[in-house]
Amino acid sequence: QVQLVESGGGLVQAGGSLRLSCAASGRTSRSYAMGWFRQAPGKEREFVTAIGRSGDSTYYGDSVKGRFTISRDNAKNTVYLQMNSLKPEDTAVYYCAADSDGLEPYEYDYWGQGTQVTVSS
């Protein structure tokens, strides 16, 4: 089992930045691919970004390309999501997820509880 705990959410003005963290514990997560998803009220869950086991491969949803950056520190079992140039439409609960076999296509079998990000206009 792997436990994922997100942190770093909050309220920010449009144009601002936030950095989310996802700390993994339990079974080693170094071989896991990791991803971030978000869900706004009344909307379906949306893929935000993903990163491969070594950090060499990264993927982004079209709505966040050029503004968000995913990274990982395997020594700390932590994945980060740097969010810049935030827009009101980025408001959502952000979830961290892990794919335990780390192979593409990623299929996430562990999920965090989520952290709220609110961007005011």
Side-chain angles (χ1 to χ4, degrees):
Q1 289 289 330
V2 173
Q3 293 77 44
L4 303 175
V5 178
E6 303 96 335
S7 62
L11 174 64
V12 64
Q13 288 188 332
S17 299
L18 280 176
R19 188 176 82 154
L20 305 183
S21 299
C22 173
S25 61
R27 292 180 60 187
T28 178
S29 64
R30 298 184 182 188
S31 62
Y32 296 179
M34 302 293 294
W36 286 95
F37 291 76
R38 67 186 182 185
Q39 188 165 21
K43 295 187 176 181
E44 293 187 354
R45 186 172 61 196
E46 176 189 14
F47 168 76
V48 176
T49 181
I51 188 167
R53 292 178 289 183
S54 65
D56 290 344
S57 300
T58 57
Y59 307 91
Y60 294 93
D62 289 341
S63 61
V64 306
K65 282 181 181 176
R67 300 188 298 122
F68 291 11
T69 303
I70 189 171
S71 62
R72 67 189 298 163
D73 184 339
N74 285 343
K76 296 182 178 179
N77 289 328
T78 301
V79 175
Y80 303 99
L81 178 61
Q82 179 66 44
M83 305 185 294
N84 298 329
S85 301
L86 283 161
K87 305 175 181 179
E89 51 263 44
D90 294 319
T91 296
V93 177
Y94 284 70
Y95 297 93
C96 175
D99 168 5
S100 58
D101 69 10
L103 302 176
E104 297 186 27
Y106 300 145
E107 297 178 352
Y108 301 95
D109 40 4
Y110 298 102
W111 293 84
Q113 294 298 308
T115 185
Q116 177 70 46
V117 172
T118 303
V119 184
S120 63
S121 57

